[in-house]
Amino acid sequence: MMEPYPDIEIYLAQASHDALNAWLGDRLKAPPLSPAGKQRWRTQGQYNGHSVPILLVEKAADGYASLWFDSPHMPWHTDQEAAQEAAEVLQSEVRCSLGGWHPGADPDRFWQVLPGGKEGAIHWPDSGR
C-alpha cells in the first residue's frame, strides 16, 4: 500500500464556494468555508476519525486558487488523486505538483487535469518551453 502524502495541495481554475462546500462537506464532512483573511478561507474536515484542516487561498498562482489539505489522513494518497476527483466533481481544470520536490527536480512541472479525464504534464507558469 502506498504511503499517503503528509499534505495535499491542488490548484483550481475556478473555485465556486457553493461547489467546494458541497464537495468538502460530502467527502470530508467539512462545514462551509469561513473567511480567514484577505482572499483566504478555512474549514476543518474529518476523515476516518482524523481532523483535516483545509485552507483555500484565492488567486494564489496565475489566478488559480490553492486548496490545501494539511493532514496525512485523507481519501487520496497523492495530489494527483485529489486533482482527478476535484476536476470531475467541480467540472473545472485542476493542477497539482508532479510529486515531492527533490534536488534536480523541475519546479515548473505540474500535472493538469481537465473535466472528462484528459490529463498530462505541463510547465507552469508557461515559460515558453
Side-chain angles (χ1 to χ4, degrees), residues 67-121:
L67 185 60
W68 180 45
F69 302 91
D70 187 15
S71 173
H73 306 285
M74 290 172 282
W76 321 281
H77 287 97
T78 65
D79 294 17
Q80 187 175 341
E81 287 179 10
Q84 289 165 334
E85 182 174 317
E88 277 312 301
V89 171
L90 302 173
Q91 286 297 293
S92 176
E93 177 186 349
V94 181
R95 296 177 177 187
C96 66
S97 72
L98 281 171
W101 186 87
H102 56 356
D106 184 346
D108 294 339
R109 299 234 339 131
F110 281 77
W111 194 254
Q112 176 188 50
V113 183
L114 302 173
K118 183 176 182 207
E119 54 187 276

Side-chain angles (χ1 to χ4, degrees), residues 23-107:
W23 178 49
L24 296 173
D26 180 55
R27 201 63 160 108
L28 296 170
K29 299 177 182 71
L33 292 159
S34 61
K38 187 177 181 181
Q39 297 186 342
R40 293 178 181 264
W41 303 82
R42 289 188 189 278
T43 189
Q44 185 151 311
Q46 296 288 320
Y47 186 71
N48 287 342
H50 297 277
S51 175
V52 180
I54 302 165
L55 175 66
L56 173 70
V57 178
E58 296 175 335
K59 299 179 185 166
D62 284 346
Y64 285 72
S66 164
L67 185 60
W68 180 45
F69 302 91
D70 187 15
S71 173
H73 306 285
M74 290 172 282
W76 321 281
H77 287 97
T78 65
D79 294 17
Q80 187 175 341
E81 287 179 10
Q84 289 165 334
E85 182 174 317
E88 277 312 301
V89 171
L90 302 173
Q91 286 297 293
S92 176
E93 177 186 349
V94 181
R95 296 177 177 187
C96 66
S97 72
L98 281 171
W101 186 87
H102 56 356
D106 184 346

